[in-house]
Amino acid sequence: MGGRRDLTYNVLCKRCGPEPDQCQLCGEELRFVPRPQGLTNTTVTVMDFSAHANYTFEIESLNGVSKMINYPRPVAAIMVSTDQGDF
């Protein structure tokens, strides 16, 4: 944390096709608990995935000096693939 106490996290969701460059923002198809932006804890629950889909979640951490960076901020990416739906 670098001694700062104003650390927050944002989660960006993309639903992707078979090729990595075929991604679109998820929109409101998924539910995030408590929310996808401005998280103060390091956990978030994601619900309502579609069957047979590929998702990429980009997580960024921010603090009060993050806006001073002139280059794209680094993100951690997590890829999730779903199989069949609920029975």
Side-chain angles (χ1 to χ4, degrees):
M1 289 184 55
R4 298 195 59 98
R5 298 192 187 278
D6 59 345
L7 187 62
T8 61
Y9 303 93
N10 293 330
V11 180
L12 177 69
C13 175
K14 298 177 184 177
R15 186 170 176 178
C16 303
E19 300 298 322
D21 62 344
Q22 297 176 333
C23 295
Q24 297 179 347
L25 294 177
C26 292
E28 296 183 19
E29 71 183 72
L30 298 181
R31 287 190 303 145
F32 292 81
V33 176
R35 64 191 166 277
Q37 306 289 312
L39 297 164
T40 55
N41 290 324
T42 57
T43 60
V44 63
T45 301
V46 183
M47 296 178 276
D48 298 335
F49 288 96
S50 295
H52 307 289
N54 299 311
Y55 296 93
T56 298
F57 296 92
E58 295 179 354
I59 299 100
E60 72 174 340
S61 60
L62 303 164
N63 64 29
V65 297
S66 295
K67 61 185 169 208
M68 296 178 185
I69 297 174
N70 292 328
Y71 54 87
R73 292 189 286 263
V75 297
I78 299 171
M79 291 173 242
V80 175
S81 294
T82 59
D83 287 330
Q84 59 199 29
D86 293 343
F87 287 83

